[in-house]
Amino acid sequence: MSSVNAASFSPDDFVWKGLTLTESAAKQILNLVEADPEVKGLRLGVKQSGCAGFGYVMDLTKEPADDDLTFEQFGAKLFVPLQAMPFVDGTELDYVREGLNQIFKFNNPKAQHACGCGESFGVE
């Protein structure tokens, strides 16, 4: 059995399952896009952060990057950098009410553990 090390890893080597949006998440993205006609959609990435290892980074984007993959559902567009795919592939993005707050929630099958505050996640 051969092993893959970080030096030989390339995101292009994989077939991606993709990301999905719930109808609630898509509606919220569309609401955000309506506020600025130049915005094309939401961009989701990851960065090293927090006590569990990685954190999600989300921002509105006017122009997707060349290496972004585009996932569109219910008319809303989610852009994901190719480099983030090993950490978020298969994730469902939802928009939920938790108490008095409404937030995007990540149902990420790659996340093996999360920190207590929910701000970061780890993968194996």
Side-chain angles (χ1 to χ4, degrees), residues 43-107:
R43 188 166 196 254
L44 169 66
V46 294
K47 67 176 182 173
Q48 285 194 308
S49 173
C51 52
F54 297 96
Y56 299 104
V57 179
M58 295 176 36
D59 54 11
L60 296 172
T61 186
K62 294 181 180 181
E63 192 62 41
D66 290 339
D67 71 336
D68 282 354
L69 299 178
T70 304
F71 302 97
E72 184 172 352
Q73 288 182 290
F74 304 106
K77 291 183 181 178
L78 181 66
F79 303 105
V80 181
L82 190 57
Q83 293 298 97
M85 287 302 292
F87 307 102
V88 298
D89 190 33
T91 296
E92 175 191 66
L93 183 61
D94 197 3
Y95 190 72
V96 299
R97 178 180 298 272
E98 290 186 355
L100 297 176
N101 300 314
Q102 292 182 345
I103 61 167
F104 282 106
K105 184 155 182 112
F106 305 92
N107 299 312

